[in-house]
Amino acid sequence: MAEYLKPVPTPDPDTKKFWEYAKSHELRLPRCTACSLLFYPPQGLCPRCLGDALEWVKMRGTGVVYSMSVVYANRSKGFKDEVPYIFGYVTLDEDVQMLTNILFKGDPFQVKIGAAVEVVFDDATPQVTLPKFRLRAG
Ligand SMILES: [Zn+2]
């Protein structure tokens, strides 16, 4: 495997489970057992009621593009051969938004706001798998 030059997340106690599920190609998000809020990004306390009893719910992995930016220049190490790429928000079917990369081939503007997308898992390094999204067929 070629050396992975882009930055990768460092799991902490609040995000460790998210990354472990991603590594096994499952998209799971925390849900507060007190108030039922499902949220992203993962954190140790519910952002609504500050409850600390969380359960990890498997997402369908499908959603729609909420907003996006096409990035044409990034001088950071590892991105030189990646431009253009899309950085954007996806609204999951479960009504949670995730900041993510939206993958495409060819023209980035074939990706439209509201387009149907599905999660894909990028095994970036032996330790880290990144959930990303791509256009859903049909
Ligand atoms: Zn809560």
Side-chain angles (χ1 to χ4, degrees):
M1 180 184 279
E3 184 186 2
Y4 193 80
L5 299 174
K6 293 184 274 188
V8 291
T10 303
D12 64 26
D14 293 344
T15 62
K16 186 171 179 278
K17 283 188 178 175
F18 176 82
W19 296 114
E20 285 174 357
Y21 286 121
K23 187 156 181 48
S24 57
H25 292 194
E26 277 191 31
L27 182 61
R28 286 185 184 252
L29 297 184
R31 180 167 59 200
C32 174
T33 62
C35 77
S36 299
L37 182 70
L38 188 66
F39 58 91
Y40 180 89
Q43 59 183 52
L45 298 176
C46 169
R48 181 161 64 196
C49 77
L50 302 182
D52 63 357
L54 307 175
E55 60 186 351
W56 289 83
V57 182
K58 186 172 182 178
M59 301 292 102
R60 267 176 266 172
T62 49
V64 295
V65 176
Y66 175 76
S67 83
M68 57 181 256
S69 293
V70 180
V71 179
Y72 285 95
N74 185 336
R75 298 189 308 173
S76 302
K77 192 175 181 184
F79 287 91
K80 183 171 58 97
D81 299 324
E82 293 284 322
V83 293
Y85 64 87
I86 297 176
F87 194 56
Y89 278 98
V90 164
T91 304
L92 298 176
D93 292 348
E94 293 84 356
D95 203 27
V96 180
Q97 289 183 337
M98 286 183 69
L99 189 58
T100 186
N101 285 120
I102 300 162
L103 307 177
F104 62 93
K105 290 187 175 112
D107 179 7
F109 290 101
Q110 68 187 294
V111 179
K112 308 281 189 203
I113 303 300
V117 291
E118 63 187 359
V119 71
V120 290
F121 293 94
D122 177 2
D123 296 314
T125 71
Q127 293 78 32
V128 176
T129 296
L130 304 170
K132 298 180 177 180
F133 286 80
R134 69 179 175 202
L135 291 174
R136 233 183 305 166

